């Protein structure tokens, strides 16, 4: 009788040689843990014993190989990460040691607090790890028999403190021996009696503030939706019917034309990267020449920058533009002092309106035609504010996240407040003021670093109304480095608290209605400027890590995950292309809460250098290469563009500069090719000369963000002991975000 066919292919059938000896082992690749062992002449029981032994051995070997490979991969990745962090830290400098508005006073106090918090959390983690390994844990529900064994002051625990996380056990009485056991039991008693209660009360207070702010955010979104649905927007008197030729000749004899006297102010300070483009755009605004005056208000202390700006002003003055250059010897009062000095000129009284543009703003030629007509027939209107648009919003992750915030600010907050309340905070630029409104409100004041919000609040208290134009956009630039963005946010969040302290008595003494006073105090200042950074930092950066070490005061899942995600989605609605960045946006906003909270406290209590103004660093990315190339080709063909048409971010000086750079690159390339030919034709190779590497700009590190990163990662490690899955992932990702920001890995660095 023929033997049954074998499950493997024998060597005899293939090579025609002798049959293979020994016990063949077949490992099925679809399931490597199943091993078939067979051989001729083997009994059934011998086959079974051999099969079990060989199968067990192969399973162990395969698992060991897989484990070793996984451990090696993790070790290599962790070692590479440590090496990268080490190299970056060695080449870095402390950003808090630089002269910015956050580097003294309150900033150092917060850093000391975070360091102490981190050391304490590490000690608690070590203590809890020892307790976990020894099994000294309480069950999820404390039974009465265990409560009777506790001291008398612990027997009357509240019901919510008897529910402890995890499947843990209560240590028996005979186990409680030794100083470590007694210390742990004492820590549990102290934690339940004092710490858990305090954390629970503080978290409940912050959750209430969080829900109030979330309701305010939802109401704003509903108001914006209603505006979009009904097509509500300010309507201007469109009686400007002058032709371009009339504007060029200055003929304003058309009875339907409305061309009042407009003063344009351009405050700037050491901003040589963007001055040329901004001045060129402002000088090409479509408005009668004799009815418009451009003031370039230069506060630069760099003599080279002063000469460049003055030369640019001279160039446009020779072209017939009514433009003057003003420079102050002392930068007293910063931007507010600059504007105040400019408004004190005698010729300003001849102008009815004043438009303000910062150094990086590029208005379109029709800006005044779209904004000034709103003042016609509306004597109560004091301000027309245009929306910002960003030329570098897709430059890096940092600019994308800023674009989300500012799109919500303009399209939702500013538009809703403008339509329903007639009041919002002036953004400091891209707006047109009625000169009479500025004079009635006391003019520009130097008492805070947010002079724009200051003048807006005082004008509102005097009864002036504001209009926001969401469809009129002015190009500008976002800060591309975290250092610049951090300084900007510090000024934006410390200034409102300074203003709140100063203007609170004036609010109650004003003659506006009570509901407007309540809106100004409760919503504009307290909720959106004070409560938002307070609960954001306290809830997600302090209370949440604490609850990992004090599990009796656990935060609900919906507070950590569901509500913040919903709020983040609402924030991204005005910028729908940014939906893929909803999670990075949520994590980054929590990261920025450190800077915002520190700035808020500094401004409220006048701590540190909260009155210092640091100019936001510009990268000069206000023109795209494709625009410059297209303009260069048009110039080469001697076909100039129409006089009233502008290419975004391009001026004549920028075009010439691009041409010089292009010629220099071609010359350098030719010299390099010639040098290579000379070297190849020489009989002996020249001795190589080591070129000194250009010194790299040192990286910046942010110690407060790094301290919070390690604190959150420590809390995430502690959450593993309590099997809190969602809390672990949130703390892990938030800690990694703090680490990336602390090492300055987000955004482009600007030297």
């Amino acid at each position: 009788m023929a033997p049954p066919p074998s499950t493997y292919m024998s060597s005899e059938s293939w090579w025609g040689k002798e049959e293979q000896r020994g016990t063949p082992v077949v490992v099925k690749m679809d399931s490597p843990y199943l091993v078939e062992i067979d051989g001729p002449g083997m009994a059934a029981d011998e086959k079974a014993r051999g099969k079990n032994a060989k199968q067990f051995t192969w399973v162990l070997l395969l698992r060991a190989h897989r484990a070793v490979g996984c451990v090696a991969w993790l070790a290599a990745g962790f070692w590479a990460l440590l090496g990268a962090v080490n190299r970056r830290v060695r080449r870095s400098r402390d950003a808090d040691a630089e002269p910015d508005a956050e580097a003294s006073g309150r900033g150092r106090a917060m850093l000391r607090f975070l360091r102490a918090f981190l050391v304490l959390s590490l000690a608690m983690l070590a203590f809890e790890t020892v307790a976990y390994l020894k099994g000294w844990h309480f069950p999820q529900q404390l039974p009465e028999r265990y409560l009777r064994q506790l001291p008398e002051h612990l027997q009357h625990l509240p019901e919510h403190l008897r529910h402890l996380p995890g499947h843990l056990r209560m240590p028996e009485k005979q186990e409680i021996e030794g100083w470590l056991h007694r210390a742990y039991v004492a820590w549990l008693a102290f934690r339940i009696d004092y710490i858990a209660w305090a954390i629970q009360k503080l978290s409940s207070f912050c959750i209430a503030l969080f829900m109030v702010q979330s309701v305010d955010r939802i109401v704003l979104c509903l108001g914006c939706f209603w505006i979009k649905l009904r097509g509500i927007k300010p309507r201007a008197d469109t009686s400007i019917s002058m032709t371009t030729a009339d504007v060029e000749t200055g003929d304003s004899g058309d009875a339907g034309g409305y061309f009042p006297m407009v003063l344009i102010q351009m405050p700037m300070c050491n901003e040589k990267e963007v001055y040329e483009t901004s001045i060129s755009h402002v000088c090409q605004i479509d408005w009668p020449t004799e009815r418009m005056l451009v003031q370039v208000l230069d506060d630069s202390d760099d003599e080279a920058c002063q000469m460049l700006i003055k030369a640019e002003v001279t160039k446009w003055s020779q072209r017939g533009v009514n433009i003057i250059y003003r420079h102050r010897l002392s930068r007293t009062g910063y931007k507010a002092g600059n504007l105040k000095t400019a408004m004190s000129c005698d010729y300003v009284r001849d102008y009815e309106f004043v438009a303000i543009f910062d150094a990086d703003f590029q208005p379109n030629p029709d800006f005044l035609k779209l904004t000034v007509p709103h003042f016609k027939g509306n004597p109560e209107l004091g301000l027309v504010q245009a929306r910002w648009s960003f030329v570098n919003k897709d430059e890096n992750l940092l600019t994308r996240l800023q674009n989300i915030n500012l799109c919500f600010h303009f399209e939702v907050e500013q538009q809703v407040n403008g339509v329903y309340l007639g009041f919002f905070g002036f953004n400091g630029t891209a707006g047109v003021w009625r000169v009479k409104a500025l004079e009635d409100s006391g003019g520009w004041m130097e008492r805070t670093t947010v002079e724009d919000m200051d003048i807006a609040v005082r004008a509102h208290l005097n009864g002036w109304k504001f209009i926001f134009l969401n469809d009129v956009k002015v190009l500008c630039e976002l800060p591309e480095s975290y250092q610049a963005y951090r300084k900007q946010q510090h000024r934006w969040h410390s200034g409102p608290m300074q203003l709140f302290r100063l203007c609170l008595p004036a609010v109650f003494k004003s003659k506006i209605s009570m509901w407007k006073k309540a809106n100004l105090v409760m919503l504009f200042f307290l909720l959106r400027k004070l409560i938002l950074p307070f609960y954001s930092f306290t809830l997600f950066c302090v209370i949440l890590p604490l609850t990992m070490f004090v599990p009796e005061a656990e935060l609900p899942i919906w507070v950590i995950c569901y509500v913040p995600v919903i709020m983040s989605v609402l924030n991204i609605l005005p910028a729908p292309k940014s939906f893929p960045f909803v999670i990075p946006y949520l994590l980054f906003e929590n990261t920025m809460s450190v800077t915002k909270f520190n700035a808020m406290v500094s401004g409220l209590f006048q701590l540190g250098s909260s009155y210092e103004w640091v100019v936001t660093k510009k990268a000069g990315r206000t023109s795209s290469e494709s625009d410059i190339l297209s303009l260069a080709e048009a110039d080469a063909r001697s076909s100039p563009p129409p006089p009233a048409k502008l290419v975004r971010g391009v001026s004549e000086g920028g075009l010439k500069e691009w041409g010089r750079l292009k010629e220099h690159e071609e010359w350098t390339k030719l010299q390099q090719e010639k040098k290579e030919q000379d070297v190849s034709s020489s009989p002996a190779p020249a001795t190589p000369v080591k070129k000194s590497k250009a010194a790299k700009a040192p990286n910046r590190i942010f110690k407060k963000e790094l301290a919070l990163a390690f604190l959150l990662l420590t809390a995430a490690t502690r959450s593993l002991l309590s099997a809190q899955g969602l809390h672990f992932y949130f703390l892990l990702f938030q800690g990694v975000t703090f680490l990336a920001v602390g090492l300055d890995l987000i955004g482009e660095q600007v030297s």
Side-chain angles (χ1 to χ4, degrees), residues 110-128:
M110 175 175 283
L111 180 59
R112 288 193 293 267
F113 167 75
L114 293 176
R115 284 176 173 173
F117 196 3
L118 175 60
V119 172
L120 181 61
S121 66
L122 290 173
M124 293 171 62
L125 176 62
F127 196 30
E128 294 286 347

Side-chain angles (χ1 to χ4, degrees), residues 199-387:
I199 294 177
Q200 197 70 42
K201 294 298 182 182
L202 182 59
S203 62
S204 300
F205 178 67
C206 290
I207 290 173
L209 297 180
F210 182 28
M211 297 310 299
V212 171
Q213 197 272 337
S214 300
V215 171
D216 174 65
R217 189 64 54 92
I218 293 174
V219 171
L220 287 175
C221 291
L222 292 177
C224 181
F225 175 75
W226 183 254
I227 291 174
K228 296 292 184 183
L229 184 64
R230 304 291 295 181
I232 303 174
K233 63 179 181 178
R235 305 291 179 181
D237 187 351
T238 57
S239 60
I240 296 180
S241 58
M242 297 178 66
T243 63
T244 305
D246 295 330
V247 174
E248 292 176 354
T249 58
D251 185 10
S252 57
D254 188 356
Y258 178 64
F259 291 97
M261 300 288 286
V262 178
L263 175 68
I264 300 180
Q265 295 180 332
M266 302 181 63
M268 56 184 64
C269 178
N270 295 328
E271 293 171 293
K272 58 184 177 182
E273 297 87 0
V274 293
Y275 77 92
E276 187 176 9
T277 303
S278 180
I279 293 176
S280 66
H281 278 77
V282 169
C283 290
Q284 297 182 69
I285 289 180
D286 192 5
W287 202 256
T289 304
E290 75 281 358
R291 308 192 70 80
M292 180 181 75
L293 173 64
V294 180
Q295 281 184 325
V296 178
L297 311 176
D298 184 21
D299 264 2
S300 304
D301 53 10
D302 184 358
E303 294 184 0
C305 186
Q306 295 177 23
M307 294 177 62
L308 290 172
I309 297 175
K310 191 179 300 183
E312 186 71 14
V313 171
T314 303
K315 180 184 70 175
W316 286 102
S317 178
Q318 293 174 353
R319 294 183 180 182
V321 178
N322 195 7
I323 182 172
I324 60 175
Y325 173 85
R326 288 180 55 87
H327 179 263
R328 294 194 305 164
L329 298 178
S330 176
R331 198 183 167 213
T332 306
Y334 305 112
K335 181 179 177 181
N338 198 357
L339 295 173
K340 182 180 179 180
T341 304
M343 292 296 294
S344 63
C345 298
D346 294 336
Y347 55 81
V348 172
R349 68 186 65 176
D350 298 331
Y351 293 85
E352 187 177 356
F353 303 102
V354 53
I356 302 174
F357 297 102
D358 283 349
D360 59 319
F361 277 72
Q362 309 167 44
N364 290 328
D366 59 351
F367 176 81
L368 292 180
K369 286 189 174 183
L370 295 176
T371 54
V372 173
H374 288 273
F375 291 97
K376 186 177 182 180
N378 195 356
E380 296 181 351
L381 182 61
L383 168 67
V384 175
Q385 173 71 59
R387 177 174 176 172

Side-chain angles (χ1 to χ4, degrees), residues 27-45:
V27 181
K28 295 185 177 181
M29 297 310 297
D30 56 346
S31 181
Y33 299 112
L34 299 179
V35 184
E36 294 185 1
I37 306 175
D38 199 1
M42 295 183 62
D45 54 347

Side-chain angles (χ1 to χ4, degrees), residues 674-695:
K674 184 178 180 180
K675 185 176 180 181
E676 291 177 356
Q677 292 177 358
D678 295 340
V679 170
S680 60
S681 61
S682 60
T687 304
V689 179
K690 292 185 179 180
K691 295 183 179 180
S692 59
K693 294 183 179 179

Side-chain angles (χ1 to χ4, degrees), residues 356 404 578 616 718:
I356 302 174
I404 295 174
S578 301
T616 304
R718 172 60 181 86

